[in-house]
Every structure is written in structure tokens, then in C-alpha cells.
């Protein structure tokens, strides 16, 4: 498995579009708001505009999963989306995607990375706990998301251009 930045090539775009198509056809779609499943939102925003950090995981040259973080606050990255294709699960891909994004955020000077997870998304909750994220049990938003966060201890502050 290789993890690298999303490179805006046709292959990367088609790979992510195929994973979104898989998501939309699955029961897991219930976990996500409409805009997180909508290809157009990715084409016009998450995959093209500044302020989003995108990584893909490749297996045999195919996009097996992806992760997108956003510049959220001056010192914080928010995890927007993480998806691993059904044929590629339970191989540690999501764990690695999270680890690499976390290390990059730290290297860029962010002090914190956060994510919101549906309370019934047990895989994701376990993944976050395994990745050393802290569950902020007093923060449930709006009433069906858990907040998770991880402090990035070596952050030196960050100012977006
Ligand atoms: C959640 C998801 C990203 C996990 O991807 P993955 O590559 O299969 O996960 P990994 O192989 O890296 O698993 C790492 C850890 O996550 C947890 N985990 C992953 N899948 C799990 C499952 N089906 N049941 C229980 N725990 C699970 C485990 O703690 C696992 O560690 P372990 O293998 O030592 O038990 C994937 O199932 C997915 O894309 N789901 C749909 C989209 C989604 O819910 N995204 C997250 C939104 S916040």
C-alpha cells in the first residue's frame, strides 16, 4: 500500500468518484450528510480548493481509500471524510491514512486534529481510539455525533496564506 497526496489526475479523480459511488449504493450512506456523498461537492470544493488536505491510499495502482482534512481553525485540522473501499478493508489502510494526515498536520504546525463520528459508527469509534484520539464525551453534536480530537504536541502555530 502506498499513501500519497491526491494529485488531481484523471486516475485519482476516477478512483475517488468510484468509491463515492460505492458509498452511495450502500447502507453506510446513512452515516453521511448529503454533501459528503455528492461527487460534485468533491469536484468543485474538497478536491480542488485551497484549505483542504487530501491523501489517497493506493493498492496495486488503484485508489483503495482516501482521507480529506480541512483547515478548520488557525491551529486545528478537521477531518472531513475518510473512506476505504469495501474490498480493501481490515488491512490497516484507514489507520495509515489517519496517521499520515496527523503527522502532516503536525509538521505544518497545527496543534490539534478533530473529527466527528456518528454514535453508531462503531468501526470508526474503534479506529479513533486505536489511533490514540481522545473522545470528548461532553461534546455530542448535534445529538448524534461524538467528537474526537488529538493534540499535536510539537505544533508551532500556523497562519494560512
Ligand atoms: C471505518 C473505515 C474507514 C475503516 O477502514 P479500514 O481500512 O478497514 O480500517 P483499518 O483496517 O485501518 O482498521 C483499524 C482499526 O479500526 C477498527 N476497525 C476497522 N474496521 C472495523 C470493523 N469492521 N469492526 C470493528 N472495528 C473496526 C479496529 O480497531 C481496527 O484495528 P484492528 O484491525 O487492530 O482491530 C471503513 O470501514 C470505512 O470506510 N467505513 C465507511 C466510511 C466511514 O464510516 N468512514 C469514517 C467516517 S468518520
Amino acid at each position: 500500500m502506498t499513501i500519497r497526496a491526491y494529485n488531481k489526475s484523471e486516475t485519482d479523480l476516477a478512483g475517488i468518484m468510484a468509491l463515492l459511488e460505492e458509498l452511495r449504493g450502500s447502507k453506510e450512506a446513512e452515516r453521511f450528510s448529503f454533501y459528503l456523498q455528492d461527487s460534485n461537492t468533491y469536484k468543485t470544493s474538497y478536491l480542488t480548493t485551497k484549505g483542504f488536505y487530501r491523501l489517497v491510499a493506493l493498492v496495486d495502482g488503484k485508489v483503495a481509500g482516501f482521507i480529506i482534512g480541512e483547515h478548520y481553525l488557525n491551529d486545528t485540522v478537521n477531518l472531513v471524510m475518510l473512506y476505504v473501499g469495501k474490498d480493501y478493508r481490515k488491512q490497516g489502510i484507514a489507520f495509515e491514512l489517519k496517521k499520515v494526515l496527523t503527522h502532516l498536520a503536525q509538521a505544518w504546525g497545527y496543534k490539534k486534529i478533530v473529527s466527528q463520528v456518528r454514535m453508531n459508527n462503531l468501526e470508526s469509534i474503534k479506529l479513533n481510539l486505536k489511533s490514540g484520539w481522545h473522545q470528548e464525551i461532553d461534546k455530542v453534536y448535534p445529538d448524534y455525533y461524538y467528537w474526537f480530537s488529538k493534540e499535536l504536541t510539537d505544533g508551532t502555530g500556523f497562519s494560512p496564506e
Side-chain angles (χ1 to χ4, degrees):
M1 181 223 321
T2 305
I3 292 182
R4 62 155 170 75
Y6 170 75
N7 66 13
K8 299 191 181 172
S9 66
E10 274 303 312
T11 315
D12 276 15
L13 178 63
I16 290 181
M17 292 301 114
L19 291 176
L20 287 173
E21 187 63 34
E22 177 185 280
L23 167 63
R24 285 190 292 264
S26 124
K27 202 165 156 34
E28 287 169 352
E30 290 167 3
R31 293 176 181 171
F32 300 99
S33 320
F34 168 75
Y35 58 89
L36 282 169
Q37 303 167 40
D38 172 41
S39 298
N40 215 33
T41 310
Y42 289 77
K43 288 179 186 163
T44 59
S45 174
Y46 302 149
L47 297 178
T48 49
T49 57
K50 258 184 143 179
F52 290 98
Y53 307 121
R54 315 129 183 138
L55 300 174
V56 289
L58 303 176
V59 174
D60 298 330
K62 283 191 72 176
V63 178
F66 66 98
I67 192 166
I68 300 177
E70 65 176 332
H71 173 81
Y72 182 58
L73 294 170
N74 229 13
D75 61 356
T76 305
V77 169
N78 179 43
L79 193 55
V80 174
M81 186 57 168
L82 168 63
Y83 188 82
V84 173
K86 292 191 175 170
D87 292 343
Y88 300 98
R89 293 194 182 167
K90 297 293 286 170
Q91 299 172 31
I93 293 178
F95 184 79
E96 289 301 318
L97 281 167
K98 277 195 112 138
K99 192 163 84 182
V100 175
L101 183 67
T102 301
H103 285 167
L104 285 171
Q106 184 166 1
W108 292 326
Y110 286 101
K111 292 185 179 147
K112 198 172 189 179
I113 186 160
V114 299
S115 78
Q116 301 80 49
V117 181
R118 291 261 178 161
M119 289 160 99
N120 62 1
N121 189 345
L122 298 181
E123 298 98 284
S124 234
I125 289 168
K126 284 181 99 175
L127 168 65
N128 277 345
L129 293 174
K130 183 179 172 181
S131 303
W133 290 49
H134 170 67
Q135 187 176 343
E136 304 198 19
I137 46 175
D138 52 333
K139 261 195 190 170
V140 176
Y141 174 80
D143 58 1
Y144 48 85
Y145 284 108
Y146 283 135
W147 276 72
F148 280 87
S149 66
K150 189 171 172 85
E151 303 290 332
L152 308 173
T153 45
D154 291 324
T156 54
F158 180 80
S159 300
E161 287 167 23

